[in-house]
Structure formats: C-alpha cells, structure tokens
C-alpha cells in the first residue's frame, strides 16, 4: 500500500487510534493527563494505544535499526509516565510525547556508542537496517541501508535533526519544539547535517544519484 | 538539494512505515506497560503494607492465642492493610502472608499476585492471578473456601496445599499435603478430587494432565519438567510459550496422556474419533479418549510424515468452511481429537524437517512473510490437516501477521476441529478477532469470544476477549448483550483498561 507524504506525517487524532484496534479514552487531553498522573490503568492503556505506532515510527526514523527496538519503545513510554508531571500544558501532549521519544532514541544511540568501544564489529556484522519489506526494490533497500550507515557516522544531534526533517518530514518549527532548541539553532545544525550527509552520500553509489539528481525511482 | 533529500526521505519513510505496521504489537506493548506501572506502584505500597501487616499480625496472634478461634466468630482478614478486593503482589525477594481469623494461613510466594475477593462466615474466596500460594486451611464444619487459580477453581474443605498458576505458559500445579480438595477447570473437567499426597499438574496449552504421588520416584518425563521434590517457586520461564512453537511441545512426554474434559458441551454430540488402529480400548464414554501412549509418542513431531496432495490435501476451501464455523459458533464448537494416524501417514509428499524448522525459526524472528513462504513449501493444507497443535497455531498467527487473513482463519478453524483446549481455545479468540476486525462480522465475533471465555475464563486473552465481547455486541446492535458483558467485565476486572468504558455503558439508559 503506497504511503503518501500526508499519511507519513499523520499525528494521532484526539482520543482515537488509527492502526490496529486500540483502547480509546473518553475525555479530552487534560482529563487524560490527569488520569495518567494518577496512573489509572485505563488511561495508561489508552495512552499507550494512542501513541504506540507514532512513537515506534519516530524511533525507527531516528534509529533505523536496533535489535532492542521493542525495549526502546517500552522505555519511551515508561519515561513518559515518569515525567508526566513535567507536562504543564496538556494541549501539547503530542509534541511532548515526540520529544520524549526523541530523547529516548538519543539515549539509545549513546548506549550503542558506548558499547562500540567494547565490541568491535565490522560494518558487515552490523544489524541489517530494518524497515525493508521484502517486496521493496533492491535499490530502495540499498538506499535505506546506506542512509543509516551514514547517519550512524554523524553526530547525534545532527543525525536526529536530519532524520526528523527529511525522513519524518517535520517542519523547522516542530523540530525546534521537540528538540527544545531555538529555531536559529535548528537551522544551523540542520545545515551542517545536510552538508555532512551530502558529502558522505556522494561517495556512496546507492545514494549518489539521490543527492545529485533526486534518484531514479521517485514513483514508488 | 533539499528537494532531493526530501524525495529520498519519503522513499525511506514508505519502507519503514510498512515495517512499523507489521511490527507493532499493541496488545503486548500495552500489557507490558501496564505491568510495569503496576509493579512500581505495588513495590512502593508493599513495604508500607508489610510493616503494618507485621504489627497487626503480631497483635492478632497474641489475641488469638488468648481467646482461641470459635466457629461462630466472624471471619476476617487479620491484616487490615490488605483489603478485600485489593491486589496483593509479592515482591521478587519475599513472600506475603495472609492470615484469617479462623486460623487459616495463606502465603503468597515471591512474584505472585492474588487478591481476596470475598469473605463469608466460614471461609473466603481468593483469586491467584499468577505465581504460587501456600495454603493451610483450618478445617471446620461447613467450611467454604475457594481458591481461583487462573482458569481453575480449587474448592477446599480443610487442607494444606500449594497451588500455582503460570499464565505465560498456562500451567497449573497443585500439591496436596493434607486433606482433600476438588479442582475444576480446563482439561480437568467440572470436578476432580485430589487427595493428600497427590500432585496435579495441568498444561492447558497441550491439553495434558499429570497426577503423581509426592515423593514417588521421578520418571524420565517428569525429570524433563522439573523435580517432584520442591514445588515451583515462581513462573517457569524455561518452558517456552505455546504460541512460539517451542520444540519442547513437539515431543509430549510418553507418560502423559491427553485427557478429554468430561463435562464440556459438544455440539450435537459430534466428536471426531481419536482412536488409533492400536485399539487400546480407552473409550470416549469414559472421557479418556486419546491416542495411546506409544502412538502419541509417534505423532509426527516434525512435519516429516505429513502428506500433501498438492493444494487439496484436506479440508474444503476456506469459504466453504466459513459457513461451518458460523453454524458451529452458534452453539459450542465440537471438541475434536487429533486426526486418526491413518490419514497422517497416507501417501504423498513428505516435508523435510529443515523446512519445518525454518518455518518456526523465521516466525520466531518475526519474519512472517518468509515464514509463510516456508510453510507454503511444506504445504499449509498438510500443516492444517496433520501438524501438531502448536504448529497449526503458529501457522495461523504467521498468516495473520503476514496479512493473509484467509489462511489464518483456515488454520484456526483446523485447530478447533482437531484439538481441544490450549491452542484450540486460543484459536477461538483469534477467530473472533478476525471476524471483528477484518470482516466486521460482529455477531460471529461475539460468539467466538463467548466460546473463548467459556473455555478459558482465566486465559491470557480473557480480559481482552471480555472487552471485545462488549464492543462486538454493541456493533451487532445487541445492546442488552453488551451491557451484560459490560457488567461481567466490571465485576471481574474492576481496574481493567476497559472498565471505565464498561461502566459508562452500564450507566447509559
């Protein structure tokens, strides 16, 4: 099923879950947040179901691959519940949850980097980039792998901004909001990230065409 | 440049979104989160409770010793910090004592979860959701003690026993040291007396029951399942889940025979013969029908001996069977025993065990489409017709997760036709889900959920089945039925994720 840009950036509607059948919460975001603060199971379940797919998507955009993705996904929700008291404006629940997911992904990247000091893996031993359905053309699979190989080599902040901007499609103002930085800082870091990515991508046969000519398979 | 990068990003996102859709497991993720929230809450509460309980227990013991129990005295919990209806969670490193004023002592072992749901004049009802409970029930005339352990009910007269339930692997164990109890539940049937010195183990998933004498010499099969000497102290995580098709389940121990539940309903008296050519003599009437011990050990554990006659190996096409399922679902789907051995050994193409192993391994690695491809090489009709219960269930799950709902339904229906309990019960829930989510056949879905709840009232999907029953009845226009289901949900799961919604429905005119 083709996924268009609009659906790619869909944010969960208030109170409804789009994906697999989930538990809905009857009440507005303020009521949900209050109930979460009291750890009411119904609210916790509905909160999970509302954001599960979205959080998984954000994590995959940033991390690309992780053998512990389920654990990281769970960690994001545990972190959210632990810090729900810090959410002052319930209307910003979705933006806040995005920033929790981003922070969780960042922690995961830092953990991975620490492990790399201990375990020396050749690139061929690294896990396959996930998110590659079997029916995807080989060029697409290779572009996917190459993208995350390059992102793995980039500084964490630039990597996160690049993934959220170009893969998830967030606007600059949204990026500033979820990364808790100013718009000017986001623009500066993103510009550096683009240049770094482009320089590395030009050396990669799987991505050269994309960077220079926009690719050969734009209609998928 | 920016436009080029955006275009590349959209392509990558398209691939990833498909993967996200496939990998998302709402149910498991939700359950895991709820469990972690509950553990954190219970851990903080436990220490407060323990301190208060210890103080009150000491005071009550002294009072008890001075006064002595009297049969007519009002039954009560001795630790007032443990309230009726409230969950009691034992931490990892300690047990929780529960004492009653009549002298009955219970002890919830580490990692266990239980609650006292009712206290009456001469007894109480305790629900054990998971883990092990040690019980020493004071014998009195007219005792009314009941312990609900997962889907099992233990009625107690005056006994000392240990009972445990491991929901992850659907295993029930009861070791009776003194007195007698009656056990009812899946596989066991309506009532089975257990005597002092007896240990009863039930593996609901396999439909197997084992009864041994405490202290009897261990036989080879028993050794593989753990020792007789010490009762389990917690969930046995070494035994893999049925859903994942563990190799352990492929080789049922030779000393264990599948036991048919004696008192379950059978639609129109319809039963499939399970008698092998050996003519062992176990009769269906006695409720102990099943393949002989030697035959059971010879059931094809890999799919080596399976047959395939191309795509027509056995069974009609899914669409034809759907009407059967509807007819069956309106009553109780008959419990079918495994296919006769003759069919399983008819001529045809054999499947190399490596392909079967690949099918299972790929499924466990969440590579559902690849796993399905392997299953198709083996022959899905052959798996449905002659595979063991865990493989047929695995096929259904793999097909469902790979998006082939038609094949998933076929596998689940085959499971229902051929087996009793465990995977076949789980298949009822899955069929309900498919009917509800994929085909919008709400009335049919509701019937499957009723079936599941009847067969496994404490099963791993019981709570979700109970909430889906409410929704499917509402969607089918059966408001009164939905309200009845909502009342049952609230009664059984007062703090469940659907409880608020169920209460709203009950409050509606």
């Amino acid at each position: 099923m083709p996924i268009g840009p609009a659906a790619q950036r869909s944010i969960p509607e208030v109170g409804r879950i789009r994906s697999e059948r989930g538990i809905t919460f009857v009440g507005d975001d303020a009521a949900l947040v209050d109930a979460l603060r009291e750890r009411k199971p119904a609210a916790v379940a509905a909160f999970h179901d509302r954001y599960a797919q979205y959080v998984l998507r954000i994590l995959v955009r940033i991390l690309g691959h992780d053998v512990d993705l389920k654990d990281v996904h769970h960690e994001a929700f545990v972190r959210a519940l632990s810090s729900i008291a810090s959410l002052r404006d319930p209307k910003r629940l979705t933006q806040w949850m995005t920033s929790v997911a981003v922070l969780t992904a960042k922690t995961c990247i830092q953990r991975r980097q620490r492990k790399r000091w201990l375990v020396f893996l050749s690139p061929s031993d690294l896990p396959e980039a996930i998110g590659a359905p079997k029916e995807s053309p080989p060029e697409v699979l290779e572009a996917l792998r190459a993208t995350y190989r390059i992102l793995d080599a980039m500084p964490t902040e630039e990597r996160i901004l690049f993934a959220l901007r170009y893969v998830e499609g967030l606007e600059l103002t949204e990026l500033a909001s979820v990364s808790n930085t100013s718009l000017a800082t986001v623009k500066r870091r993103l510009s550096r990230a683009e240049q770094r990515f482009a320089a590395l991508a030009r050396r990669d046969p799987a991505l050269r065409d994309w960077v220079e000519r926009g690719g050969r398979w734009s209609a998928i | 440049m920016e436009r080029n990068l955006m275009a590349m990003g959209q392509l990558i996102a398209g691939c990833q979104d498909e993967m996200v859709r496939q990998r998302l497991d709402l149910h498991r993720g939700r359950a895991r989160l709820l469990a972690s929230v509950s553990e954190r809450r219970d851990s903080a509460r436990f220490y407060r409770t323990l301190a208060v309980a210890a103080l009150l227990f000491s005071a009550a013991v002294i009072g008890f010793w001075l006064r002595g129990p009297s049969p007519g005295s009002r039954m009560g919990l001795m630790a007032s910090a443990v309230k009726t209806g409230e969950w009691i969670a034992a931490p990892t490193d300690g047990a929780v004592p529960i004492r009653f004023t009549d002298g009955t002592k219970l002890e919830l072992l580490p990692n266990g979860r239980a609650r006292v749901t009712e206290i009456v004049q001469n007894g109480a009802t305790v629900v054990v959701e998971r883990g092990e409970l040690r019980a020493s029930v004071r014998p009195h005339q007219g005792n009314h003690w009941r312990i609900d352990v997962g889907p099992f009910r233990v009625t107690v007269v005056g006994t000392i026993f240990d009972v445990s339930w491991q929901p992850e692997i659907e295993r029930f164990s009861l070791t009776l040291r003194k007195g007698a109890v009656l056990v009812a539940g899946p596989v066991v049937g309506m009532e089975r007396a257990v005597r002092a010195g007896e240990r009863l183990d039930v593996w609901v998933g396999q439909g197997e029951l084992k009864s041994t004498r405490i202290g009897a010499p261990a036989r080879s099969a028993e050794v593989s399942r753990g020792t007789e000497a010490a009762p389990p102290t917690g969930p046995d995580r070494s035994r893999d889940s049925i859903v994942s098709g563990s190799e352990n389940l492929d080789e049922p121990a030779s000393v264990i025979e599948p036991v048919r539940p004696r008192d379950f309903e059978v639609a129109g008296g319809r039963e499939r013969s399970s008698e092998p050519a050996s003519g062992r003599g176990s009769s269906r009437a006695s409720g102990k029908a099943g393949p002989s011990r030697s035959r059971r050990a010879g059931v094809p554990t890999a799919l080596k001996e399976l047959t395939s006659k191309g795509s027509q190996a056995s069974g009609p096409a899914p669409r034809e069977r759907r009407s059967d399922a509807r007819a069956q679902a309106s009553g109780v789907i008959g419990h079918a025993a495994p296919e006769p051995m003759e069919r399983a050994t008819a001529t045809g193409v054999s499947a190399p065990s490596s392909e079967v192993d690949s099918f299972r391994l790929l499924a466990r690695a969440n590579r559902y489409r690849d796993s399905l491809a392997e299953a198709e090489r083996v022959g899905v009709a052959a798996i449905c017709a002659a595979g063991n219960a865990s493989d047929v269930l695995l096929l259904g799950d793999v097909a469902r997760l790979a998006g082939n709902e038609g094949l998933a339904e076929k596998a689940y229906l085959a499971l229902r036709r051929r087996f009793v309990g465990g995977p076949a019960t789980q298949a009822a829930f899955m069929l309900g889900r498919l009917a509800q989510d994929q085909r919008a056949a709400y009335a049919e879905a509701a019937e499957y959920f009723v079936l599941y709840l009847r067969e496994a009232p404490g099963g791993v999907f019981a709570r979700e089945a109970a909430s889906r029953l409410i929704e499917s009845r509402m969607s089918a226009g059966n408001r009164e039925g939905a309200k009845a289901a909502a009342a049952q949900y609230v009664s059984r799961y007062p703090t469940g994720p659907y409880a608020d919604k169920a209460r709203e429905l009950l409050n509606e005119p």
Side-chain angles (χ1 to χ4, degrees), chain B residues 379-461:
Chain B
V380 295
I383 298 174
C384 289
N388 62 44
S390 60
D391 278 339
V392 181
L393 180 66
L394 188 62
L395 174 64
D397 290 345
V398 161
R400 179 172 52 85
L401 292 164
N404 189 339
E405 286 90 13
L407 176 59
E409 191 173 23
K410 187 175 175 181
Y412 294 138
L413 286 171
L415 204 46
R416 296 285 309 170
R417 276 196 304 274
R418 293 179 54 209
F419 298 101
V420 172
T425 298
Q426 198 169 320
F429 173 75
M430 293 302 177
L431 285 164
R433 258 180 74 160
L434 288 172
Q436 183 178 25
D437 296 344
Q438 307 301 330
R439 290 190 286 112
Y442 301 117
E444 183 185 331
E447 284 162 3
Y448 277 121
F449 296 134
V450 166
L451 262 179
Y452 177 83
L453 290 167
R454 192 178 302 161
E455 292 176 22
V460 292
F461 296 118

Side-chain angles (χ1 to χ4, degrees), chain A residues 3 5 8 19-24 26 39 41-42 44-45 48-49 52-53 56-57 60-61 64 70-71 74 77-78 81-82 130-131 133-136 140 144 147-148 162 165-167 194 197-198 202 207 210-214 217 220, chain B residues 1-34 36-37 40-41 366 369-370 373 433 436-437 464 467-468 471 495-501 504:
Chain A
I3 309 268
Q8 169 184 326
S19 60
E20 162 185 341
R21 179 191 167 277
I23 291 170
T24 56
V26 179
R39 299 292 188 273
V44 171
H48 171 271
D49 287 7
Q53 185 173 3
L56 187 58
R57 204 170 78 218
V60 166
R61 300 287 192 247
K70 264 190 254 183
D71 292 337
H74 174 70
F77 281 95
V78 170
L81 288 177
S82 304
I130 55 175
K134 208 177 169 183
E135 54 274 10
S136 303
V140 174
L144 180 65
T147 297
Y148 282 93
F162 185 93
R165 173 75 178 140
Y166 292 112
V167 185
E194 280 170 19
F197 185 91
R202 281 191 186 96
L207 295 177
W210 278 104
V211 170
E212 291 175 353
R213 287 189 287 275
W217 52 89
I220 296 282
Chain B
M1 166 70 73
E2 190 180 355
R3 204 188 319 173
N4 293 345
L5 291 175
M6 280 293 196
M8 181 200 74
Q10 280 182 14
L11 188 73
I12 288 168
C15 291
Q16 289 180 334
D17 287 346
E18 179 59 23
M19 182 281 299
V20 165
R21 199 184 64 80
Q22 287 175 10
R23 284 188 75 160
L24 183 67
D25 189 338
L26 261 187
H27 176 79
R28 276 215 173 101
R30 184 200 307 145
R32 187 179 175 186
L33 183 63
L34 285 168
S36 74
V37 167
R40 281 162 199 253
R41 192 178 52 208
N366 300 332
R369 290 189 189 181
D370 293 338
R433 258 180 74 160
Q436 183 178 25
D437 296 344
E464 187 171 349
S467 66
R468 280 179 174 267
E471 290 205 356
T495 59
Y498 207 80
D500 287 346
K501 197 127 172 105
E504 271 178 38

Side-chain angles (χ1 to χ4, degrees), chain B residues 14 56 59 85 142 144 219 223 225 277 332 334 397 480 500:
Chain B
L56 289 174
H144 183 78
R219 285 180 273 185
V223 168
R225 296 196 193 282
V332 175
D397 290 345
E480 288 310 309
D500 287 346

Side-chain angles (χ1 to χ4, degrees), chain A residues 68-96:
Chain A
D68 301 320
L69 193 62
K70 264 190 254 183
D71 292 337
V72 180
H73 188 244
H74 174 70
E75 190 185 325
F77 281 95
V78 170
R79 191 189 285 256
L81 288 177
S82 304
S83 58
I84 191 75
S86 68
L87 173 62
R88 290 194 179 85
D89 183 2
K91 291 195 197 68
R92 291 179 44 83
L93 182 59
T94 298
Q95 290 93 321
W96 175 82

